[in-house]
Amino acid sequence: MSNLGFRPEDVALPVGHFLAGKLVPGGADIAVTSPGNGRVLAYLPEAGADLVDEAAQTAARVQRESGWASCAPRERAKVLRRWADLVERNAMELARLETVCSTRPIAQTVGWDIPFLAEGIRFFAEYCDKVGGDVAATATNLLGMTVYEPYGVTGAIAPWNFPLVMASWKVVPALAAGNGTVLKPSEMTPFSVVRLAELAVEAGMPAGLFNVVQGTGLATGEAICRHPAIGKLSFTGSTRTGIAVMKAAAESGPKPVTLELGGKSPQLVFDDITSVDDVADRIFRAFTGNAGQVCVTGSRLIVQRGVAEALIAALVARCGQVKALAPWDENATYSPIISEPQADRILALVQGSAHAGAQELVACKRMDTNTGGVFLSPGMMMVQNAECPIWQEEVFGPVLAIQVFDEDDQAFALAEHPVYGLAAGVHTASLPRAMRAIRTLKAGTVWVNRYGRSSDFVIPTGGFGGSGIGKDLGRQAFEANLRLKSVLMAAE
Ligand code: NAD
């Protein structure tokens, strides 16, 4: 990659809500800081219940009156495809907006986030006219059917770690299914989705169908969850907040929720692997990508004794090669931590685990950098028992907790987590072992001899247990934005 670098002060930020197709500036309630240099980028207005109500009522009216739900579904697909084209045409602007405010380096937003976003929109466009109902087996003087219809308005609440991609997994299937939507991005990464919403209108989506309200969880998020006109919620964030979202949805509906929550995902390495280096590359990427600030971070390594020493040595060597550069430097590959308090939390968890007996193989510590951002170096800890905090808690930082096993059953027992079940990785050359692992591991996704999603959007993603309810991506995410109506007709 070359010529990707830029100056953060050259990026124009769309500061405000996006209501009825227009940017609406407001107060200056929340300071938004760039993780790349620690500087305040802008002050964000906060939407209270009144503004959330305006957004939801607008989305409901436009959804009813614009023909978005009633038109031939292929017409909606055309708009979505134009939207994807516009995302690509404005890729550099979107990538810079994303990079300036989030933890995503410019080479990655250009190379992955924005292309992935555009293709994700195209993927859901294809479902617009592919999901219908059934005709039931009834007596021939009756016609029984099931038909799908949109909810009307959906609510979407997104996290800060991949602001555009995570938000798009909620709003795009909702819109493709014929709904209007109200999105609240994280108050830490609020800008790029506003530009995405502007591009939707430019592509021909009725103004007011897709609204963005800015604010914190308690003021704005909670008002979305409790709004009576919002018929379905999709949330991505921590398990604790997910529980609050579900409670609010129950008390104000009940209304269905899709919850994509936290994880503490294990990676099992058996001693039959054919290349320690290849597996080390995978494991390293899986716990240091976005500096570990990924829901599916492979943060627990469960390695068989025969290969443990070689693999750990290969990982230790990789830890020493990481460089901290500002995210807008074209050579940046490693991410800053989203905020000072989050860095403090990660370091406290590491320290607490060391006190609880975990052995630090490589220390996770603040890196020397002149960027102004907070960077933590990758850390590795050898753990002796499953109660150790670094083995139990989601770090959301670049720290790998390690345990060694002898027998396969031991590995599967170690992989179990009392709360989470988001993803798991299995690295083995043995087909029977892989097949047993697939059936045994309690995780919403099992990756074998790879770690991480591909651009096969057809494969849904979501967790078991405390990692969530429902799926993003796949046909399932599209269908979750529709409700099923049963029809029984007699001739007269
Ligand atoms: P968070 O739970 O703090 O916040 C997520 C969103 O919820 C933000 O927009 C926040 O403002 C909002 N919010 C906070 N309190 C709320 C409330 N009471 N009602 C409604 N909304 C509220 O999470 P985060 O720190 O932004 O993101 C990190 C977490 O997200 C991690 O736990 C990570 O694992 C999880 N995550 C999961 C997935 C997945 O697909 N499973 C993907 C990305 C991130």
Side-chain angles (χ1 to χ4, degrees):
M1 297 268 179
S2 59
N3 303 324
L4 292 182
F6 67 96
R7 297 183 333 146
E9 52 276 25
D10 292 342
V11 177
L13 304 168
V15 183
H17 314 288
F18 188 73
L19 290 176
K22 291 199 177 65
L23 182 68
V24 179
D29 309 294
I30 305 166
V32 183
T33 303
S34 170
N37 60 13
R39 293 204 195 128
V40 172
L41 286 166
Y43 289 88
L44 195 68
E46 177 157 73
D50 285 0
L51 209 98
V52 169
D53 181 53
E54 191 186 327
Q57 300 296 354
T58 302
R61 182 179 45 75
V62 174
Q63 194 264 355
R64 255 189 340 264
E65 295 173 2
S66 66
W68 183 253
S70 57
C71 69
R74 291 199 68 70
E75 297 304 314
R76 286 204 299 273
K78 272 189 209 162
V79 174
L80 290 168
R81 282 196 294 267
R82 278 201 298 270
W83 191 16
D85 293 345
L86 283 174
V87 165
E88 280 171 350
R89 228 172 288 153
N90 293 275
M92 199 49 80
E93 184 196 353
L94 284 166
R96 286 181 175 182
L97 265 176
E98 192 76 327
T99 289
V100 89
C101 182
S102 76
T103 58
R104 309 285 304 131
I106 186 68
Q108 293 172 14
T109 49
V110 170
W112 186 82
D113 300 59
I114 307 304
F116 201 79
L117 167 68
E119 275 302 290
I121 296 174
R122 289 196 185 101
F123 172 79
F124 283 114
E126 286 160 18
Y127 272 109
C128 289
D129 65 348
K130 307 287 185 303
V131 174
D134 289 325
V135 174
T138 59
T140 53
N141 64 336
L142 293 171
L143 185 58
M145 294 181 289
T146 53
V147 291
Y148 280 106
E149 60 179 33
Y151 281 94
V153 182
T154 66
I157 299 176
W160 49 261
N161 59 343
F162 295 84
L164 276 170
V165 170
M166 290 295 115
S168 74
W169 289 4
K170 337 235 114 245
V171 300
V172 177
L175 293 163
N179 296 285
T181 196
V182 178
L183 165 70
K184 188 194 91 60
S186 169
E187 60 275 28
M188 290 190 264
T189 54
F191 305 122
S192 52
V193 292
V194 172
R195 188 68 189 118
L196 181 67
E198 282 174 353
L199 292 175
V201 175
E202 205 178 315
M205 194 175 287
L209 196 74
F210 174 11
N211 301 283
V212 180
V213 287
Q214 305 288 6
T216 57
L218 284 182
T220 315
E222 174 113 16
I224 292 177
C225 296
R226 292 188 180 273
H227 198 284
I230 292 179
K232 194 249 165 193
L233 291 171
S234 184
F235 168 81
T236 297
S238 64
T239 299
R240 204 172 59 150
T241 311
I243 292 167
V245 166
M246 193 162 180
K247 190 160 176 263
E251 288 172 357
S252 60
K255 53 186 84 155
V257 290
T258 301
L259 302 177
E260 298 295 339
L261 309 178
K264 189 73 198 172
S265 300
Q267 303 205 65
L268 284 65
V269 181
F270 294 89
D271 59 12
D272 56 35
I273 53 167
T274 49
S275 164
V276 169
D277 267 343
D278 288 353
V279 174
D281 283 343
R282 269 182 239 150
I283 307 257
F284 188 70
R285 272 198 304 273
F287 87 92
T288 59
N290 208 28
Q293 301 163 114
V294 185
C295 54
V296 293
T297 287
S299 54
R300 291 188 298 143
L301 171 63
I302 299 167
V303 55
Q304 199 159 20
R305 198 167 304 279
V307 75
E309 197 182 325
L311 184 65
I312 289 169
L315 288 168
V316 169
R318 282 159 177 76
C319 287
Q321 289 162 10
V322 164
K323 286 200 182 64
L325 297 172
W328 38 85
D329 185 312
E330 65 186 13
N331 297 311
T333 54
Y334 192 62
S335 294
I337 301 298
I338 184 73
S339 65
E340 278 285 349
Q342 174 65 2
D344 289 342
R345 200 191 69 79
I346 296 166
L347 293 172
L349 188 57
V350 167
Q351 206 177 24
S353 301
H355 284 146
Q359 179 199 352
E360 254 180 321
L361 301 176
V362 181
C364 167
K365 49 181 198 272
R366 282 169 193 273
M367 297 169 82
D368 280 339
T369 152
N370 57 7
T371 62
V374 193
F375 288 81
L376 295 184
S377 61
M380 293 171 54
M381 300 190 97
M382 187 63 89
V383 172
Q384 305 305 336
N385 67 72
E387 278 71 49
C388 188
I390 204 75
W391 192 259
Q392 288 286 326
E393 290 181 34
E394 183 179 46
V395 186
F396 233 56
V399 187
L400 184 68
I402 306 171
Q403 291 210 54
V404 176
F405 72 93
D406 293 296
E407 304 297 331
D408 291 18
D409 284 344
Q410 231 183 325
F412 296 132
L414 283 172
E416 288 228 5
H417 192 282
V419 177
Y420 298 121
L422 191 55
V426 181
H427 309 269
T428 177
S430 155
L431 186 59
R433 258 177 171 158
M435 289 181 69
R436 185 167 169 225
I438 291 166
R439 298 287 181 195
T440 310
L441 292 168
K442 295 198 179 82
T445 297
V446 177
W447 287 301
V448 178
N449 293 325
R450 61 170 288 121
Y451 198 89
R453 301 183 183 99
S454 64
S455 48
D456 299 295
F457 300 96
V458 73
I459 300 174
T461 177
F464 292 171
S467 289
I469 296 174
K471 300 289 178 187
D472 275 343
L473 297 180
R475 191 191 70 238
Q476 292 80 354
F478 182 80
E479 287 179 358
N481 286 286
L482 293 164
R483 57 188 175 193
L484 197 62
K485 183 177 273 178
S486 297
V487 181
L488 191 59
M489 291 170 65
E492 61 177 325

